[in-house]
Amino acid sequence: MTGLRAFAGRLVAALLLVPFLPPGIAVGQDTDAAVTVLTSFPAGFYEPVREAFEATHPDWRLRIVNTKTTAAISQLQERSDGGVDVFWASAPDAFEVLKAAKRLEPVVPPPTGAPPTIGNQPINDPDGAYLGFALSGYGLLWNQRYLDRHGLPTPKRWEDLRHPIYARHLGITAPSRSGTMHLMVETVLQMQGWERGWATWLEIAGNLATVTARSYGVADGIAKGRFGVGLSIDFLGQSAGLEEDDLRFAYPADSLFLPASVALLRGAPNPDGARAFIDFLLSPAGQALLVRPDIQRLPVRPDAYAAAPAGYPDPYRTETGDDLFLFDRALSGARYELVNLLFDELVTFRVKTLNRVWQLIHEGEARLHALYGSANHEPVAADLLRAARAAATAVPVSAAEAADPAFSTVLRRPARGLPVSSRQAEQEAAWRAFSRQRLDEALALAERALIILRVAGGEGVWP
């Protein structure tokens, strides 16, 4: 029986590697003429690029393996000889994870005319481990008809989404399922600092209507009126707007542009073809594809914008809040799984409870202000609400722990069907218990404060 279990375990592990085999490639089939690209980009983007690349390089065929960025990282960490030549995705911190794991082969960047930085952000990895081929902005997507129907203002900043007026009107995806969302979560954590950044995300979470399975689900939910506002990468938001006049996308005042990148994988079976593909992406012809109406990406080549339609966003001429802020890719890469796992335990799995907790806190704060203004003459209720807010925004990992590589490197998202380590399972269980305890505490404190304020407002008597 033990031998049978061992054989079954090996069989499961082998089957988990099947996603690396692109469609149409059988085991043992000659793939010398194929360039295999692992990407999170949708078919609407990579198919035109595939066609143009193969027309320019008729001796090469492009094979696309499409998966979420987070799943791609896990797969590439688990297996170094998966038959993949190129990794192609939006989030620079995903490349940092693979760089730290020594899975990337440095390449010499071809000349593009791009400056070394956009705002304060490097376009290429300083070590050449990955190269920026497009620029990505992250911002707010909303349905204007939905906002008008519900009497909601247009949000301008990330912070605006904390306001109780947006309760049950927001949609996001989980960073553990989206490299794009992970980047937005990490950006706020770095801009505001670990504790304050988590406080922002936890209060925003109190206004969530849902957490979608993938980034595309946010744009789709907004377009269909399931919720009114979401967070999105610019090309998803802008391309969605082509199909529905009510959809709007805007870069918030505290936004920044970061490169979407491409990299050659160490041990790639077809390094020459991989380099040809990377060179094509950065060539004038490859960059010209990005401004097509059905693609709408932001090229890194400044000269590519000359052929763009009128009003096309140009990041080199757009003011953002990133002139002093430098996104720390290495820090983000080092704590990549930590942030994803924490977000799931604190937010993704707690949406309904967070809705209730923040509804009570916001109601209590509004009543306190209505009764006493800024004077807060009801000290007991005020203290209870401050304590409730503190409990609702508490994080079980300190800033020092989050910055310690030794704390984060033991965390790993395993391949599907395989268990996590016992240490990680214990850690996740501790975070789960922490979140439940603190939210229960916040709920009890806010309820006590509301009883006091309702009595003070003449709406009841002491129970």
Side-chain angles (χ1 to χ4, degrees), residues 35 60 85-86 262-265 268 270-279:
V35 182
W60 294 104
D85 300 298
V86 174
V262 63
L264 169 65
L265 288 167
N270 295 306
D272 292 339
R275 291 188 182 94
F277 176 68
I278 292 171
D279 286 345

Side-chain angles (χ1 to χ4, degrees), residues 59-78:
D59 293 336
W60 294 104
R61 289 172 293 127
L62 204 62
R63 301 280 189 177
I64 302 293
V65 181
N66 183 252
T67 187
K68 297 187 293 291
T69 299
T70 49
I73 291 173
S74 178
Q75 291 169 356
L76 290 172
Q77 285 177 318
E78 293 291 333

Side-chain angles (χ1 to χ4, degrees), residues 49 83 171 220 267 325 354:
V49 175
D220 183 64
F325 170 68
L354 286 163

Side-chain angles (χ1 to χ4, degrees), residues 231-246:
L231 305 178
S232 176
I233 193 170
D234 50 13
F235 82 92
L236 282 179
Q238 289 157 357
S239 61
L242 290 174
E243 303 170 4
E244 175 56 68
D245 291 339
D246 292 325

